[in-house]
Amino acid sequence: MKKYYITTPIYYPSGNWHIGHCYTTVICDALARFHRMRGEEVFFLTGTDEHGQKVEKKAKDAGITPPEFIDPLVAELKDVWRLLDISYNRFIRTTDSDHVAAVQKIYQKLYESGDIYKAEYSGMYCAPCESFWTEGQLKDGKCPDCGREVTVQKEESYFFRLSKYAPKILKLYEDNPEFLQPKSRVNEMVNNFLKAGLQDLCVSRTTVKWGVPLPFDEKHYAYVWIDALSNYITALGYGSEDDSLYQKFWPAELHMVGKEIVRFHAIIWPAILMALGEPVPKQVYGHGWLLIGGDKLSKSKLDAVKAELTDPYELVKRYGADAVRYFLLREIPFGSDGVYTNESLLNRINADLANDLGNLVSRTQAMINQYFGGILPARGKSEGTDGELIALAEGLFAKVEGAMNRLNAPEALAEIFTLVSRANKYIDETTPWLLAKDEAKRERLGAVLYNLAEVVRICAVMLKPFLTKAPALILKSFSCDENAGFDTVSFGGLQAGARVEKIPPVFPRIDIKKELAEVERLVAAHGKEAANKEKANASEEDAPLPQISIDDFAKVELKVGEVVACERVKKSEKLLHETVKVGEEIRSVVSGIAKYYTPEEMVGKKVVLVTNLKPVKLCGVLSEGMILCAEDKEGNLSLVSPEKPLESGCKIR
Ligand code: MSP
């Protein structure tokens, strides 16, 4: 069986997962699904890149450990992949113990072979990019990748003999024109880096402790890029007792990466593999970026993009996984940058999915139901433009396959939608509603509807690598197996007599003007982080908590309290300071409800108070309890009060 090993880069843990992050992974998912449907054994790898200075610092600043900082972000990313139906085979984390052990083995091997040696290093370091640069590589004295300030860093370090591999990498490009794609990236690598020769690469740090310790010198930790790049082989068990997956799947067919990290994948990574004596991947593809307002959509730019909704949770919730996947796969010319706006997303959904595809499906189903009681008529003989339509449908697989062999999902989708449009035109040409008026033309009407149903079925099967929900719904409504593969796409597969259901629109039309106004309101309300955080919390909160015993519950003391005075907490928009009478006792309580209740409204209210929480100071004000509230998904908040007028101080059990 043919194998196909495809990888995304591993992601830096970030709280602001945005639609730009989804681009690489959705493309890889479509490719993985396509190859699986072609009967190949696919291994699709993705994951997170968790070590390094950035994480160490962020965790320290937040007063928590790196794992405490990273784990929720990784859970969020996995949640995004779940929502987008990403069918990975392994999600590797560079903190996984098997990965750490294998990275140590890789360093040990390179050290023993002399490809890693010790020397003093002084260089210009960009902390956010975790990259060292030479003076000559800086752009206006700043990091050439991100444009931020660099600092001089000196340390005794281990170096990898990258210089030795420059001629070998050039030869690799010459002998294997497919190795690095698109072509323009080869010129970038050759002109900007390889032509001038390569310098040896500093591959250890002593200042950063959140990383993989080197086995031959524990004061030193692995350089994050070597740690990260190694994931492509450690995920398969390289360097472990069981390397059967490695034996089976390496070298990878494809490393799909954003263009800003091509240098690491097309120069450093093959050099490391050559030094290890392992084969290099068959291809590295450097795709373009999703731009927003002319810039790469990125964590640091999210502040500036208040006008656009970029949060994958919110986008999937509003439009569905298929629409988001479709946009990413169709809109951006492959290999180039593409602009992201909510309007372009909505236009794509309406024009292609709701109008072209949606109309074809619903008109076909409606007519089969109206004229044939939902039972598929017989194929009949070809006439008029039938031949043209059928030829297009018959030729579709080859065209999609050709495009996907060139990794060009936008072109593959364009081919499918050419057939969809042709079929819509065929309806206008054949005018089934007129045929239906003439009993003598009933056979012809049946043939027309059969041809349409067949085109819909073939399109649904061909769409399966790209969309994960709609094709199954469509196939089921035509009584077809939703697991149908590419072996079913020749014309004529549908059996006359099959039941055809009329289902609600798979992609309802969106009122774009109204929706854009709503999105604007939402983005303004949620501010720069869009709805990202809130959605993450919502999905965590929706998950049921583990069961507790009655003894656990009995540890919480709840009492009825009466608010006797209330004021705003100075310098805080969120907090109110209540004076609460609990029986004979008076308590000072601070609660985050200033957006929902005025101090005046609060006075006189009977509330439910947790009375045995440890007192804390919030904005300098003592809080000796917590007032309970209920909150719905829209963020509406209500105090919890006893239903009958009970005295304050009553116990709640
Ligand atoms: N951790 C490194 C990769 C190490 S691989 C051995 C890294 N991580 S990242 O989180 O910054 O990026 C992950 C992927 O998301 C990259 O392919 C990157 O190009 C992609 N994108 C992030 N923002 C993007 C856009 N705005 N548009 C398209 N893809 C972009 O780099």
Side-chain angles (χ1 to χ4, degrees), residues 198-376:
L198 296 172
Q199 298 201 350
D200 286 354
L201 180 72
C202 177
V203 290
S204 75
R205 302 284 181 269
T206 49
T207 44
V208 185
K209 306 253 178 299
W210 176 240
V212 179
L214 301 194
F216 44 83
D217 189 341
E218 296 236 327
K219 278 206 315 290
H220 289 255
Y221 290 80
Y223 169 45
V224 276
W225 268 101
I226 305 295
D227 171 7
L229 288 162
S230 305
N231 95 89
Y232 299 131
I233 55 176
T234 64
L236 300 177
Y238 175 84
S240 75
E241 266 173 27
D242 178 4
D243 70 350
S244 50
L245 282 176
Y246 181 72
Q247 296 305 337
K248 185 173 193 176
F249 285 104
W250 190 257
E253 272 55 41
L254 178 64
H255 291 323
M256 178 68 76
V257 303
K259 62 181 179 181
E260 79 284 11
I261 52 175
V262 164
R263 182 170 71 95
F264 298 96
H265 286 82
I267 296 180
I268 298 175
W269 182 225
I272 298 277
L273 288 163
M274 286 172 184
L276 288 170
E278 300 296 331
V280 299
K282 293 190 187 145
Q283 187 166 78
V284 172
Y285 192 99
H287 68 66
W289 291 334
L290 232 65
L291 304 177
I292 199 151
D295 278 320
K296 179 187 177 211
L297 181 51
S298 69
K299 282 171 282 192
S300 51
K301 300 269 160 46
L302 277 180
D303 271 339
V305 298
K306 288 204 173 107
E308 305 293 344
L309 193 59
T310 58
D311 163 32
Y313 287 92
E314 189 62 25
L315 290 168
V316 171
K317 190 183 92 182
R318 299 183 85 77
Y319 316 120
D322 276 355
V324 175
R325 288 174 63 104
Y326 181 77
F327 174 84
L328 290 172
L329 293 166
R330 177 73 181 87
E331 183 80 6
I332 295 111
F334 200 54
S336 317
D337 294 342
V339 175
Y340 173 74
T341 61
N342 293 141
E343 193 169 357
S344 57
L345 170 65
L346 296 177
N347 281 335
R348 270 287 168 204
I349 299 175
N350 267 4
D352 296 6
L353 299 177
N355 285 0
D356 285 0
L357 180 64
N359 275 347
L360 177 64
V361 173
S362 54
R363 286 161 95 191
T364 304
Q365 290 174 342
M367 291 190 288
I368 294 173
N369 274 274
Q370 189 181 347
Y371 306 134
F372 291 91
I375 303 296
L376 188 73

Side-chain angles (χ1 to χ4, degrees), residues 133-205:
W133 301 98
T134 60
E135 293 277 359
Q137 287 171 329
L138 299 180
K139 246 194 208 155
D140 305 323
K142 300 207 168 120
C143 171
D145 267 359
C146 72
R148 281 180 271 212
E149 295 291 338
V150 290
T151 51
V152 180
Q153 277 204 8
K154 251 190 196 169
E155 58 184 15
E156 197 163 67
S157 296
Y158 288 90
F159 285 81
F160 170 64
R161 288 187 201 284
L162 188 60
S163 56
K164 177 171 136 190
Y165 292 93
K168 296 184 188 176
I169 307 276
L170 278 167
K171 186 153 176 3
L172 169 69
Y173 294 178
E174 270 165 34
D175 295 349
N176 303 280
E178 291 304 306
F179 173 76
L180 178 56
Q181 288 288 326
K183 273 261 149 339
S184 56
R185 311 272 181 243
V186 177
N187 302 336
E188 272 169 43
M189 292 303 113
V190 174
N191 296 334
N192 301 351
F193 303 106
L194 289 159
K195 241 191 202 161
L198 296 172
Q199 298 201 350
D200 286 354
L201 180 72
C202 177
V203 290
S204 75
R205 302 284 181 269

Side-chain angles (χ1 to χ4, degrees), residues 424-453:
N424 275 321
K425 188 168 157 219
Y426 176 80
I427 299 181
D428 299 336
E429 288 165 353
T430 52
T431 56
W433 51 94
L434 297 183
L435 296 175
K437 289 193 175 144
D438 186 347
E439 195 46 44
K441 296 195 174 142
R442 191 156 173 82
E443 206 180 308
R444 176 64 190 147
L445 173 66
V448 165
L449 294 182
Y450 180 92
N451 291 341
L452 286 169

